[in-house]
């Protein structure tokens, strides 16, 4: 992959010659007098894992809702591969290849695990209305591909044995994995995970970290919003620290750990530290 | 064995088809046949509500409006424009489609709640129009003396002008319409509509153009209701403002809820039971509605998810993971 330089044997984002995959500038969102996001700048390089951390209420989830179009009241620029996606409808942004999970996890409880995964691809397989209704040969072909891909991805995230069960019967952590599998069905350009390990038991946190590493090595770009600092530091190529609605600092995990502003404003402030 | 007989469901269907076809020859009662014909029409009407409410999750009071629009457009196409009954049905479907797209596309820009309110206003407005626009609709008198549907194919001529042939026409219409709806709802399209109902935000995050799908559901449901309404007024041979009566709305809702929102076969069964039941219970008009009420309350108390809910547990035991988009998975 040419966006990655591997000169020292470590995968790391290339020098910023190409424009970043996702570029957010001057993002703002206010609720009354509260400036939830207050001029946030953010770049995500293709092929990277970028972590975003920050104290509670610093505007991380609001920023994600702005980027993915679910929050309609934001201003600022959001560019995907140099093209503006700001203020588009969320489904159009998803179709453009920006996929997200939700902090309060969402799956279709009444459908099987396999169907939940398959739903992630149905808007991307190029079939028009008549194909599924008339069960055309092309539809059956696409359906076979979708099924094979869904089964493979469910294997990858460790839900292979659960594919026939109702999604509603899964545990909280398993639902998170299912949501991730569903998103990956469409081969998105960037996956934004809103707190992927919040409320997940420590063993599973480790498994999810491993899974994300493998998926990233296979080419998926991630932007991860998370409270679990250890998790983000261990996983990310770059880390963005958010504070009061803006970017306080950004850099490699090592740089962030040395950054005095960060240590002072956030990490050193009796919040568990590093 | 033919494929239809290999599954219990196929066998049951075959049995029902034979029964439906043989019934008029076994019974000489025009009254019974009339009840069954009504059951066919109302089941189709209720299924149209099921498409938009049971599947897409949009409560619509406009279905009776489209049913009435279909009746009037069908009647006027024949009486004013000199078209055939079939032209009338097509015109009814086309007009309903345009109206449905107009009211849903506008109201859904706001919210699902706006759609519910607009759907109520739409029906009330149409009823008013039917009563007051006397030049066109003939007001409360309605348009009587509608001709019977007829088929002219060269030298072949057939008129559906008696109870038995009208029953068969209604049966053919209901079978074709329900089969078409079943084909759509059992496909991925039905699944997409259910995604909207269960979690619209999640559906959008997966790229589903939710507003377009809701407009699709509204349009589809409207076309079905309007074509059924058009055929129904030729069965009655009159259309008047009572076609917008709240009775039809109540009946549709009860069928869909008792059958089970978003179900298919249980809803069809409910359609027949709930149209035939009040007739069976017709001891005296005063007592009849009490029986009906008791049965309804008992149904909602003991089977809160309808007939479909009763069958769901059993079906779940039989389901495996491999039902992806297969027909008949509803």
């Amino acid at each position: 992959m040419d966006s990655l330089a591997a000169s020292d044997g470590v995968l790391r984002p290339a020098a910023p010659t190409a424009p970043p995959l996702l570029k957010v500038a001057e993002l703002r969102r206010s609720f009354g007098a509260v400036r939830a996001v207050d001029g946030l700048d953010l770049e995500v390089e293709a092929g990277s894992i970028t972590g975003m951390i920050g104290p509670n209420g610093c505007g991380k989830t609001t920023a994600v809702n702005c980027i993915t179009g679910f929050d309609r009241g934001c201003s600022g620029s959001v560019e995907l591969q140099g093209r503006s996606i700001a203020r588009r409808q969320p489904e159009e942004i998803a179709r453009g290849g920006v996929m997200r999970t939700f902090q309060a996890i969402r799956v279709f409880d009444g459908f099987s695990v396999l169907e939940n995964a398959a739903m992630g691809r149905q808007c991307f397989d190029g079939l028009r209305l008549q194909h599924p209704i008339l069960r055309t040969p092309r539809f059956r072909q696409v359906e076979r591909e979708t099924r094979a891909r869904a089964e493979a991805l469910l294997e990858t995230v460790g839900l292979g044995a659960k594919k026939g069960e109702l999604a509603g019967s899964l545990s909280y952590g398993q639902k998170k994995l299912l949501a991730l599998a569903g998103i990956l069905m469409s081969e998105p350009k960037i996956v934004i995970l809103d707190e992927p390990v919040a409320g997940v038991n420590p063993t599973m946190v480790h498994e999810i970290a491993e899974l994300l590493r493998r998926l990233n090595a296979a080419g998926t770009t991630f932007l991860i919003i998370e409270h679990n600092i250890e998790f983000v530091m261990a996983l990310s190529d770059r880390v963005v620290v958010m504070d009061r609605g803006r970017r306080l600092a950004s850099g490699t995990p090592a740089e962030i750990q040395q950054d005095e502003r960060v240590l002072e404003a956030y990490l050193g402030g009796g919040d568990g530290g590093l | 064995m033919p494929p239809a007989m290999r599954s219990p469901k196929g066998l049951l269907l075959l049995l029902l088809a034979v029964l439906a076809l043989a019934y008029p020859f076994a019974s000489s009662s025009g009254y019974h046949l009339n009840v069954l014909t009504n059951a066919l029409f109302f089941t189709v009407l209720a299924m149209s509500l099921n498409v938009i409410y049971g599947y897409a999750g949009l409560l619509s009071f406009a279905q009776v409006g489209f049913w009435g629009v279909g009746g009037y457009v069908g009647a006027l196409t024949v009486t004013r424009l000199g078209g055939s009954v079939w032209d009338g049905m097509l015109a009814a479907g086309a007009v309903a489609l345009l109206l449905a797209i107009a009211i849903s596309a506008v109201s859904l820009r706001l919210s699902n709640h706006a759609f519910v309110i607009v759907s109520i206003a739409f029906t009330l407005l149409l009823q008013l129009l039917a009563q007051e626009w006397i030049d066109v609709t003939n007001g409360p008198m309605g348009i009587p003396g509608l001709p019977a549907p007829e088929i002219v194919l060269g030298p072949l001529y057939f008129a559906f002008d008696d109870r038995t042939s009208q029953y068969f026409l209604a049966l053919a219409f209901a079978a074709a319409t329900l089969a078409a709806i079943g084909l759509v709802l059992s496909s991925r399209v039905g699944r997409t509509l259910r995604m909207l109902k269960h979690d619209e935000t999640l559906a959008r995050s997966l790229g589903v153009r939710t507003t377009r799908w809701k407009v699709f559901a509204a349009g589809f449901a409207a076309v079905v209701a309007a074509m059924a309404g058009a055929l129904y007024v030729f069965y009655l041979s009159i259309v008047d403002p009572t076609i917008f009566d709240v009775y039809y709305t109540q009946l549709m809702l009860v069928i869909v809820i008792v059958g089970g929102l978003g179900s298919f076969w249980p809803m069809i069964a409910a359609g027949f039971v709930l149209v035939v039941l009040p007739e069976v219970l017709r001891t005296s008009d005063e007592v009849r509605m009490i029986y009906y009420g008791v049965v309804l309350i008992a149904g909602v108390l003991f089977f809160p998810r309808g007939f479909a809910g009763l069958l769901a547990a059993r079906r779940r035991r039989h389901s495996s993971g491999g039902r992806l988009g297969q027909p008949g998975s509803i």
Side-chain angles (χ1 to χ4, degrees):
Chain A
M1 214 181 276
D2 55 12
S3 60
L4 296 173
S7 55
D8 55 359
V10 180
L11 289 180
R12 188 161 291 155
T17 46
L21 179 66
L22 182 75
K23 184 170 164 42
V24 175
E26 282 292 300
L27 195 68
R28 288 175 200 280
R29 173 63 162 126
S30 305
F31 298 98
V34 181
R35 293 182 192 154
V37 181
D38 191 15
L40 174 71
D41 299 316
L42 173 73
E43 292 92 33
V44 178
E45 302 293 337
S48 73
I49 296 181
T50 302
M52 190 152 92
I53 56 174
N56 259 330
C58 73
K60 301 187 297 290
T61 294
T62 306
V64 171
N65 286 339
C66 287
I67 293 167
T68 53
F70 282 93
D71 191 326
R72 313 296 304 156
C74 314
S75 67
S77 81
V78 182
E79 289 177 1
L80 179 69
Q81 292 174 319
R83 290 218 304 271
S84 174
I85 57 168
R87 284 168 290 282
R88 295 246 193 107
Q89 293 292 332
E91 58 269 32
E92 302 305 327
I93 292 173
R95 281 165 176 260
V98 180
M99 284 285 198
R100 67 169 295 181
T101 60
F102 293 90
Q103 195 176 330
I105 200 69
R106 289 166 183 262
V107 295
F108 291 104
D109 280 345
F111 293 84
S112 76
V113 168
L114 185 65
E115 261 191 302
N116 263 274
M119 285 165 176
R121 189 172 183 246
Q122 71 172 37
C123 295
F124 297 85
D125 57 18
L127 291 182
R128 302 188 69 88
L129 192 62
Q130 72 273 18
H131 292 113
I133 293 176
L134 301 176
R135 280 84 171 171
T136 59
R138 181 159 159 223
F139 164 76
R140 288 200 294 269
Q141 170 66 28
V142 166
E143 210 62 343
R144 273 193 296 276
E145 288 163 15
T146 298
R147 194 192 167 103
R149 185 169 166 73
E151 284 175 345
L153 267 172
L154 289 174
E155 264 332 305
T156 306
V157 304
L159 292 175
K162 301 262 181 194
K163 68 179 181 183
E165 291 178 24
L166 284 181
S169 71
L170 297 182
S171 74
Y172 185 72
Q174 287 170 331
K175 284 185 184 179
K176 291 198 166 198
L177 292 171
L178 177 57
L180 178 59
I183 279 172
L184 293 169
M185 286 294 291
S186 62
E187 301 180 58
K189 296 192 175 97
I190 177 169
V191 173
I192 304 178
L193 302 176
D194 196 356
E195 306 214 350
V197 295
V200 170
N201 74 58
T203 321
M204 200 155 201
V205 170
H206 186 70
E207 284 170 18
I208 290 178
E210 275 311 307
L211 172 65
L212 295 181
R213 233 177 239 127
R214 266 184 297 149
L215 292 168
N216 177 245
T220 309
T221 304
F222 285 101
L223 171 60
I224 299 173
I225 285 71
E226 190 41 74
H227 269 298
N228 186 330
I229 294 166
E230 217 177 307
F231 177 82
V232 170
M233 290 297 182
L235 202 58
S236 306
D237 300 303
R238 291 191 74 78
V239 175
V240 176
V241 183
M242 231 180 130
D243 188 34
R244 277 169 246 166
R246 30 192 336 153
R247 177 167 66 184
L248 183 68
S250 74
T252 63
E255 286 164 1
I256 292 298
Q257 276 159 330
Q258 304 299 318
D259 193 296
E260 277 182 23
R261 288 166 304 171
V262 176
L263 292 172
E264 194 179 322
Y266 175 36
L267 301 172
D271 203 356
L274 292 174
Chain B
M1 270 197 294
M5 295 175 65
R6 282 191 205 129
S7 70
K9 199 193 241 174
L11 204 65
L12 197 67
L13 260 180
L14 207 66
L15 197 73
L16 273 176
V18 169
L19 211 64
L21 289 170
Y23 184 80
F25 303 107
S27 162
S28 57
S29 163
Y31 164 69
H32 288 171
L33 218 49
N34 178 39
V35 171
L36 280 182
T37 308
N38 277 328
L40 289 166
F41 278 112
F42 297 150
T43 301
V44 171
L45 183 60
M47 188 59 86
S48 80
L49 178 67
N50 193 29
V51 168
I52 187 159
Y53 182 40
Y55 274 77
L58 277 174
L59 181 55
S60 170
F61 292 95
Q63 287 314 103
V64 70
F66 291 119
W67 157 262
V69 163
Y72 272 98
V73 170
L76 291 170
T77 305
V78 173
T79 56
R80 295 285 173 104
L81 303 175
S84 70
V85 171
W86 322 116
D87 295 334
M89 285 177 72
L90 287 180
V95 170
L97 180 63
L98 291 177
L99 283 173
I101 291 173
I103 68 164
S104 60
V106 171
S107 62
L108 289 171
R109 284 179 62 90
L110 291 174
S111 70
N112 289 0
H113 305 299
F115 176 82
V116 178
I117 291 166
V118 168
S119 77
I120 295 171
F122 172 74
T123 298
L124 292 176
L125 200 68
L126 286 171
Q127 191 169 18
L128 206 64
L129 209 62
Q131 274 164 0
E132 305 295 333
W133 196 10
I134 294 172
D135 291 347
V136 175
T137 64
N138 207 24
M141 304 289 291
I143 306 171
L146 297 176
E150 51 192 26
I151 294 174
V152 185
L153 274 175
L156 279 175
Y157 174 85
F158 185 80
F160 296 90
D161 54 3
D162 62 82
R163 279 255 156 87
T164 306
S165 64
Q166 282 177 334
Y167 165 79
F168 280 120
L169 181 60
L171 184 64
F173 171 74
T177 312
L178 293 175
I181 295 174
L183 202 62
V184 172
L185 292 184
S186 65
S187 78
R188 201 169 76 180
V189 174
R191 184 179 82 188
T192 307
L193 297 181
R194 285 157 73 204
M195 286 167 78
L196 307 187
K197 178 172 142 182
H198 287 282
D199 191 339
E200 196 176 332
T201 301
L202 179 57
R204 295 181 90 185
S205 80
L206 296 174
V208 177
R209 288 170 168 148
T210 47
T211 304
R212 256 184 235 193
W213 280 106
K214 286 186 221 166
V215 173
F216 167 83
F220 186 35
V223 169
V224 170
M227 290 181 77
L231 192 60
Y232 187 62
V233 300
F234 291 105
Y235 171 63
L236 297 179
S237 81
I238 181 173
V239 57
D240 65 42
T242 59
I243 195 163
F244 295 106
D245 201 280
V246 73
Y247 163 78
Y248 296 114
T249 300
Q250 168 244 320
L251 183 63
M252 266 189 273
L253 270 172
V254 167
I255 292 173
V256 170
I257 290 167
V258 169
L261 287 169
S263 72
F264 189 76
W265 294 111
M267 210 226 73
I268 292 175
F272 274 83
V273 170
L274 289 167
V275 174
V276 173
L277 193 65
E279 302 297 333
V280 174
L281 300 177
R282 194 185 275 277
T283 47
S284 74
D285 261 5
E286 293 79 19
V287 186
R288 181 167 77 107
M289 291 319 283
I290 296 177
Y291 286 150
Y292 190 53
V294 167
V295 170
L296 267 186
I297 290 170
V300 172
L301 273 180
F302 297 115
F303 321 121
R305 285 175 52 228
F307 292 170
L310 274 180
L311 303 172
R314 203 180 74 92
R315 198 181 313 147
R316 203 166 297 134
R317 262 189 284 127
H318 289 287
S319 76
S320 63
R323 309 208 320 184
L324 189 58
Q326 276 171 3
S329 61
I330 49 176

